[in-house]
Amino acid sequence: MMAQPQQERSRTTRRRLVEAAVECLAEHGWSGTTVAVIAERAGVSRGAAQHHFPTREDLVVAAVVQVGEAQIEQLRGQVRKLPSGASRTEYVARMLLDLYTGPMFRAALHLWVAASTDATLLATLGPLEARVGREAHRVALELLGVDESEPGVRETVQATLDLARGLGLANLLSDDTRRRRRIARQWARMLEQALPVPGGNRSGVAFVSKTS
Amino acid sequence: MMAQPQQERSRTTRRRLVEAAVECLAEHGWSGTTVAVIAERAGVSRGAAQHHFPTREDLVVAAVVQVGEAQIEQLRGQVRKLPSGASRTEYVARMLLDLYTGPMFRAALHLWVAASTDATLLATLGPLEARVGREAHRVALELLGVDESEPGVRETVQATLDLARGLGLANLLSDDTRRRRRIARQWARMLEQALPVPGGNRSGVAFVSKTS
């Protein structure tokens, strides 16, 4: 009879821990993010935190991956609400190039940098991070309305997301919003040149691979 | 009479400390990079290290900035050796997109991430980092042989360097060289479309700003 409320409480506890972990990582970095600090921020006992996530690595990696996936899912929800026609590319370019400018990217960045000198953390983070990266790539294809079997499309979409991560980095030490807006405008024009046209209404240029 | 050798010894000591600081930061991260560890690696006494650089912040920031500037200077030296004609853009795209994939970027990344949660470090690093960024932008203009008074050129060159930093990030946790090569090839084609032609031999498209 008590199973449902118990499960619900458990889910709420997990959600609070995950959100607190991302905030804590974004604000204090890896060395300042301990299970005790996260549990206190989440209003959860340290024992309960360790019941859900045995180690700091488990908790923080799960947090960054879950929040990253939720953010991608949110983008996916916007595919049907996009404007049509010429303004679509600029709208999508701006959405994608803003993707890595919030607390979620800060948290992930602290974790990536920590993992680059910590083999245990890397072993946990690596495969999950690769999965989130593939999901981001798929949603970018959907938002841009392009098919990556066309030559050059995959690399153009990859470049878009790598550019977005570079812009996330540029936004780390100071607010880079205005510069990023101008880059997104130019980027939209470059995408219109580089990508085949969804629906075939515009005269985009599909680059043919000269060498493979 | 002894002034010259003394100055030389002093320069050698500084150079050793700077190189050791970058290596140490790239390998062990900010928290593992202390003056004592750097001095030992450089084969310099801790007292001598502190004579040249009073604090860890002074030493590590100077190191990352000096090595960053030296790397840009090295790129500048290659401007006259570039191939001419159609292969130039691909050659330059590859050079620029490889720029942030070595130990120097790893070191800088550790420092940027540490500075994002440390106001004292940020105050020292911020202005110097901005200067290195401007130098990278100037050398990219020279390598691409373009003039940023033309519309869209500045943003395209900025996007190139932000993409390069994003690719540096993608190379942090695993070797991303093959994917980066494919992106650089596509990037070269996009640059050829987006940039006005140096010397006017190719039919590049200069995008005219629709909105400002």
Side-chain angles (χ1 to χ4, degrees), chain A residues 82-155:
Chain A
L82 289 176
S84 60
S87 60
R88 173 169 170 147
T89 311
E90 187 161 331
Y91 191 89
V92 171
R94 195 187 272 216
M95 273 171 73
L96 291 174
L97 298 190
D98 281 348
L99 187 55
Y100 300 109
T101 56
M104 161 51 213
F105 177 76
R106 277 173 187 263
L109 191 57
H110 282 290
L111 200 54
W112 294 339
V113 166
S116 77
T117 62
D118 178 339
T120 312
L121 182 57
L122 179 59
T124 314
L125 181 66
L128 292 169
E129 200 44 63
R131 194 180 75 200
V132 179
R134 284 192 299 273
E135 287 174 23
H137 184 85
R138 269 197 294 273
V139 83
L141 287 170
E142 288 176 37
L143 288 167
L144 289 163
V146 289
D147 171 2
E148 70 175 342
S149 67
E150 305 255 4
V153 169
R154 173 176 294 185
E155 291 77 12

Side-chain angles (χ1 to χ4, degrees), chain A residues 26-29 105-106 109-110 112-113 115-117 122 125 152 155-156 158-159 162-163 165-167 169-170 172-173 179 182-183 185-187 189-191 193-194 205 207-212, chain B residues 26-29 105-106 109-110 112-113 115-117 122 125 152 155-156 158-159 162-163 165-167 169-170 172-173 179 182-183 185-187 189-191 193-194 205 207-212:
Chain A
E27 283 172 33
H28 306 299
F105 177 76
R106 277 173 187 263
L109 191 57
H110 282 290
W112 294 339
V113 166
S116 77
T117 62
L122 179 59
L125 181 66
E155 291 77 12
T156 304
Q158 285 173 333
D162 287 304
L163 170 59
R165 290 185 198 103
L167 289 169
L169 214 46
L172 186 68
L173 302 185
R179 194 184 71 99
R182 290 193 297 268
I183 291 175
R185 252 193 325 258
Q186 175 69 1
W187 186 247
R189 286 173 207 137
M190 291 176 74
L191 285 177
Q193 294 279 328
V205 176
F207 296 113
V208 177
S209 194
K210 284 180 283 190
T211 50
S212 65
Chain B
E27 281 172 35
H28 306 299
F105 178 75
R106 279 174 187 261
L109 191 56
H110 282 288
W112 294 338
V113 166
S116 76
T117 62
L122 180 58
L125 181 66
E155 291 77 11
T156 304
Q158 285 173 333
D162 286 304
L163 170 59
R165 290 185 198 102
L167 289 169
L169 214 45
L172 185 67
L173 301 185
R179 193 184 72 97
R182 289 194 297 268
I183 292 175
R185 253 194 323 260
Q186 176 68 2
W187 185 247
R189 286 172 207 136
M190 292 176 75
L191 285 178
Q193 294 280 328
V205 177
F207 295 113
V208 177
S209 194
K210 284 181 284 193
T211 49
S212 65

